[in-house]
């Protein structure tokens, strides 16, 4: 097995000239998800989302608040997998212990990208348990902050392995609230409910389909509609023309490859 | 002023089977593990455990001490899932009340400030309401919305672990995060605080800004000095999580024979025996 980290460019080629990888399309699609968010807390889990929010802060959303993964907001940028506090130019700009997180979540200026195990056509997601709830076939993490996040502030999702196991007709335990569930729960649930995007290893989706259903926004280059449909176990609205996920700019590629993820951890999450 | 110094055994002698016990820390961070291990050695059973769950929940489940877990997640942080909690759930061996993490905080806060509920949007539209059928909605008296009425999570006892404390029960965190430990103490009929070191009161404000003295003595019934007492969870800056030990814990949990060996080596004796076994293990690895 090779990784991009061990494939050093040779001759006159530079890293900037290397072909765009699937992981890089994904990272740029994640960054675009946070465009226009202003002084919002961008919370992301997983490698590609972490690259995406840092890329967003360096490009389309410079005012984002990012945490060090512990109890601080930090400015500046640092490599994926590295300690931000050991990086020059990264400074603590605030304290955000768990004790205050729900104040900020419920205040609303936060956009989270969570990683569901299951998602359905209205964006209900599950990170709690698979199978019968009283005696699950598979116990997962628990709902964590998903019910509150999804009802209080913008929420997006990242799915590294788009398949009929992740995209399902019905989720087993609604942890993150979908558009139909929010509507059924009434005005208190819909007031701030704002599902934004779902970025996967195959495609980018939103909830602009009829009745708040999932809509296919773009397929990553190299992915066919047939492949997408075969991997998707729930109904998704597909319009006549489905564009390809946009190409990263040269500057975005440079930032990903040289500044944010020089060790190519992205290729471990999404193999090239 | 009263000296509230106790031993871990004293603390457990004040607990009863069937109690609702809140356990501080978060995930695999600053858990009162020495007190949890003392419960493992006791004949307590049928406990309801309220926790931002980590290996505290896993170990108590593995030992058959738990009737019910009140939780938002159970995780070892660097390892996503606790294998014992997972196994207990998949066997149907424990009851659960699963809440959004913010609802859990709200429930502790409601208990702490003696309110019958606190309103929130969290939970609306999710299956948290379906699986907690006792949860009720409340009408906004000023408007038209209907919100979740999170009931108080009153605790019979709270167990927390801090970096420093004085003998009167003032508790200090020196790491980055106080977690919810003050709320656990506020919500409990009696709160017990273990700590890395008991120091004279004046040393608390010398060690850090007074804001780090997060737990007030009026909330604390007893203080226990348990050096390395959060092991194998983190207790920064005194020590980080023992990742190698945590991996060993998870690996052993996957196989009954390996787990029996793990229990024999680490959990069959006193806390001093445990710490000696941990030190011996570190020697071997080094």
């Amino acid at each position: 097995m090779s990784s991009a980290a061990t494939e050093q460019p040779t001759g006159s080629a530079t890293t900037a000239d290397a072909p765009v990888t699937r992981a890089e399309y994904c990272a740029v699609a994640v960054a675009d998800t946070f465009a226009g968010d202003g002084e919002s807390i961008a919370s992301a889990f997983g490698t590609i989302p972490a690259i995406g929010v840092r890329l967003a802060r360096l490009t389309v959303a410079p005012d984002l608040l990012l945490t060090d993964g512990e109890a601080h907001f930090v400015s500046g940028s640092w490599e994926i997998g590295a300690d931000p506090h050991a990086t020059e130019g990264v400074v603590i700009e605030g304290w955000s212990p768990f004790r205050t997180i729900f104040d900020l979540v419920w205040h609303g200026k936060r956009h989270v990208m969570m990683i569901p195990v299951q998602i359905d056509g209205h964006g209900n997601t599950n990170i709690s348990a698979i199978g019968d709830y009283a005696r699950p076939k598979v116990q997962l993490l628990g709902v964590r902050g998903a019910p509150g996040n999804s009802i209080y502030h913008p929420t997006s999702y990242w799915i590294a392995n788009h398949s009929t196991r992740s995209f399902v007709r019905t989720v087993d335990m609604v942890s993150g609230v979908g558009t139909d569930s929010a509507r059924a729960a009434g005005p208190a649930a819909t007031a701030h409910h704002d599902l934004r995007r779902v970025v996967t290893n195959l495609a980018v989706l939103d909830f602009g389909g009829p009745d708040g259903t999932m809509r296919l926004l773009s397929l990553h280059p190299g992915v066919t509609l047939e492949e997408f449909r075969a991997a998707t176990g729930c109904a998704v609205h597909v319009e006549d023309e489905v564009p390809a996920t946009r190409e990263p700019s040269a500057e975005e590629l440079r930032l990903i490859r040289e500044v944010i993820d020089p060790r190519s951890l992205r290729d471990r999450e999404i193999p090239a | 002023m009263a000296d509230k110094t106790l031993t871990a055994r004293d603390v457990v002698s004040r607990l009863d089977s069937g109690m609702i016990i809140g356990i501080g820390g978060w995930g695999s961070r600053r858990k009162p593990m020495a007190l949890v291990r003392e419960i493992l050695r006791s004949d307590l059973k049928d406990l309801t455990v309220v926790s931002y769950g980590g290996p505290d929940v896993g170990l108590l489940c593995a030992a058959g001490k738990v009737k019910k877990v009140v939780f938002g997640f159970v995780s070892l942080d660097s390892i996503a899932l606790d294998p014992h909690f997972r196994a207990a759930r998949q066997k149907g061996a424990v009851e659960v009340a699963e809440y959004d993490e913010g609802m859990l905080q709200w429930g502790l806060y409601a208990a702490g400030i003696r309110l019958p509920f606190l309103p929130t949007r969290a939970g609306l539209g999710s299956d948290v309401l379906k699986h907690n059928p006792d949860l009720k909605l409340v009408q906004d008296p000023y408007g038209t919305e209907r919100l979740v009425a999170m009931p108080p999570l009153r605790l019979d006892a709270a167990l927390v672990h801090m970096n420093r404390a004085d003998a009167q029960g003032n508790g200090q965190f020196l790491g980055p995060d106080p977690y919810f430990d003050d709320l656990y103490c506020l919500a409990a009929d009696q709160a017990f605080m273990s700590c890395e070191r008991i120091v004279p009161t004046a040393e608390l404000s010398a060690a850090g800004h007074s804001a780090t003295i997060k737990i007030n003595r009026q909330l604390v019934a007893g203080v226990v000095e348990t050096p390395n007492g959060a092991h194998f969870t983190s207790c920064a800056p005194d020590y980080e999580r023992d990742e190698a030990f945590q991996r060993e814990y998870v690996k052993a949990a996957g196989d009954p024979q390996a787990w029996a060996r793990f229990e024999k080596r680490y959990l069959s004796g006193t806390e001093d025996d445990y710490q000696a076994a941990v030190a011996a293990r570190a020697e071997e690895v080094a």
Side-chain angles (χ1 to χ4, degrees):
Chain A
M1 282 232 308
S2 67
S3 75
T6 57
E7 288 172 359
Q8 295 301 324
T10 55
S12 61
T14 69
T15 39
D17 298 326
V20 180
T21 65
R22 181 65 59 80
E24 290 162 347
Y25 283 111
C26 292
V28 169
V30 170
D32 284 349
T33 299
F34 290 85
D37 275 2
E39 278 186 328
S40 180
I41 301 166
S43 296
F45 307 94
T47 302
I48 299 282
I51 294 170
V53 296
R54 283 179 222 182
L55 181 62
R57 187 156 77 170
L58 290 168
T59 56
V60 292
D63 295 329
L64 289 179
L65 287 154
L66 301 183
T67 80
D68 59 1
E70 289 276 343
H72 299 106
F73 292 120
V74 286
S75 63
S77 194
W78 66 101
E79 284 182 20
I80 292 296
D83 175 5
H85 302 289
T87 305
E88 199 180 341
V90 174
V91 297
I92 291 172
E93 60 167 321
W95 188 45
S96 65
F98 287 113
R99 187 72 171 74
T100 67
I101 280 297
F102 301 108
D103 296 348
L104 297 171
V105 167
W106 296 1
H107 179 64
K109 287 182 195 160
R110 181 175 186 247
H111 182 175
V112 70
M113 179 167 270
M114 299 190 78
I115 304 176
V117 175
Q118 295 178 321
I119 188 167
D120 73 15
H122 283 88
N124 296 291
T125 56
N126 178 20
I127 54 171
S128 169
I130 304 279
D132 173 23
Y133 186 75
R135 187 175 173 169
K137 192 165 134 228
V138 184
Q139 172 65 36
L140 305 168
L141 189 60
V143 294
R144 268 210 75 174
N149 292 346
S150 53
I151 222 76
Y152 269 107
H153 61 54
T155 299
S156 295
Y157 293 106
W158 161 247
I159 295 172
N161 185 12
H162 188 136
S163 73
T164 51
R165 289 165 70 100
S166 49
F167 282 76
V168 297
R169 195 176 295 271
T170 313
V171 304
D172 290 343
M173 161 72 172
V174 176
S175 311
V177 178
T179 53
D180 56 346
S181 300
R183 206 179 314 126
T190 54
H192 307 292
H193 186 256
D194 186 4
L195 297 189
R196 293 275 174 91
R197 296 251 168 111
V198 181
V199 180
T200 81
N201 60 322
L202 301 183
V204 182
L205 307 98
D206 70 2
F207 294 89
D211 204 32
T213 53
M214 225 185 263
R215 172 176 65 174
L216 179 59
L217 282 185
S218 68
L219 291 165
H220 302 330
V223 180
T224 65
L225 193 54
E226 291 65 40
E227 188 186 344
F228 170 84
R229 285 203 160 113
T232 307
C234 59
V236 171
H237 180 68
V238 179
E239 293 172 344
D240 293 342
E241 292 289 319
V242 179
T245 304
R246 78 168 174 87
E247 295 290 323
S249 69
E251 176 62 3
E252 285 169 328
L253 285 178
R254 185 189 72 80
L255 289 169
I256 293 171
R257 294 173 180 181
E258 297 176 16
V259 177
I260 303 172
D261 185 25
R263 290 188 286 154
S264 291
L265 299 184
R266 61 191 178 280
D267 297 328
R268 291 194 205 162
E269 191 165 25
I270 301 294
Chain B
M1 266 188 293
D3 182 325
K4 296 177 188 161
T5 308
L6 299 176
T7 66
R9 185 168 290 187
D10 294 333
V11 169
V12 171
S13 75
R14 297 196 191 184
L15 307 178
D16 292 314
S17 292
M19 274 189 167
I20 302 169
I21 312 275
I23 302 181
W26 193 97
S28 195
R29 307 178 195 201
R30 223 181 63 231
K31 284 288 177 179
M33 296 301 284
L35 298 181
V36 169
R37 286 187 284 268
E38 198 60 40
I39 293 176
L40 300 181
R41 290 175 202 113
S42 75
D43 57 4
L44 290 176
K45 59 182 171 38
D46 293 331
L47 301 176
T48 292
V49 176
V50 180
S51 183
Y52 289 86
D56 51 331
V57 173
L59 279 165
L60 291 169
C61 284
K65 299 293 188 190
V66 180
K67 181 175 138 204
K68 181 173 180 180
V69 185
V70 181
F71 76 113
F73 63 86
V74 178
S75 173
L76 303 175
D77 295 0
S78 53
I79 297 172
L81 304 171
D82 179 278
H84 291 304
F85 173 66
R86 194 171 208 195
R89 278 285 281 143
Q90 292 174 187
K91 278 189 295 200
V94 291
E95 297 170 34
V96 292
E98 182 172 0
Y99 297 112
D100 170 89
E101 294 168 273
M103 295 173 78
L104 207 59
Q105 178 181 8
W106 229 214
L108 293 169
Y109 191 38
I113 60 175
R114 302 188 292 179
L115 283 176
F117 68 89
L118 280 169
T120 176
R121 297 176 196 279
L124 291 170
S126 78
D127 281 347
V128 164
L129 293 184
K130 177 175 152 191
H131 293 301
N132 292 285
D134 295 342
L135 277 177
K136 292 190 163 73
L137 300 184
V138 63
Q139 177 73 41
D140 169 8
Y142 304 107
T144 58
E145 290 187 335
R146 279 160 60 80
L147 301 160
V148 175
M150 181 65 200
L153 291 172
R154 189 76 211 160
L155 308 173
D156 292 313
L159 308 176
V160 303
H161 184 79
M162 302 296 274
N163 297 91
R164 303 286 178 272
D166 65 15
Q168 290 72 44
N170 295 301
Q172 179 176 41
F173 73 102
L174 294 173
D177 202 317
Y179 309 119
F180 300 92
D181 289 3
D182 54 322
L183 276 190
Y184 277 100
C185 295
L186 202 66
D189 289 341
Q190 44 177 354
F192 298 103
M193 179 165 61
S194 60
C195 65
E196 289 299 306
R197 258 194 311 129
I198 295 177
V199 297
T201 307
E203 281 190 27
L204 298 175
S205 53
H209 188 284
S210 54
T212 61
I213 311 170
K214 186 71 177 169
I215 295 182
N216 176 299
R217 62 184 163 83
Q218 78 165 192
L219 302 177
V220 175
V223 186
V224 187
E225 187 175 72
T226 59
N228 210 33
H231 185 270
F232 51 94
T233 71
S234 66
C235 190
D238 293 309
Y239 44 89
E240 296 298 327
R241 179 163 45 244
D242 188 339
E243 297 286 359
F245 190 96
Q246 177 159 293
R247 284 193 297 273
E248 186 177 333
Y249 163 81
V250 169
K251 196 170 167 210
D255 169 58
Q257 285 185 332
W259 183 247
R261 284 196 299 276
F262 185 96
E263 281 189 308
K264 182 162 186 293
R265 180 166 187 190
Y266 297 111
L267 302 174
S268 59
T270 65
E271 178 68 10
D272 284 347
D273 294 333
Y274 174 83
Q275 294 295 348
V278 168
R281 180 190 184 283
E283 285 281 303
E284 284 168 26
V285 175

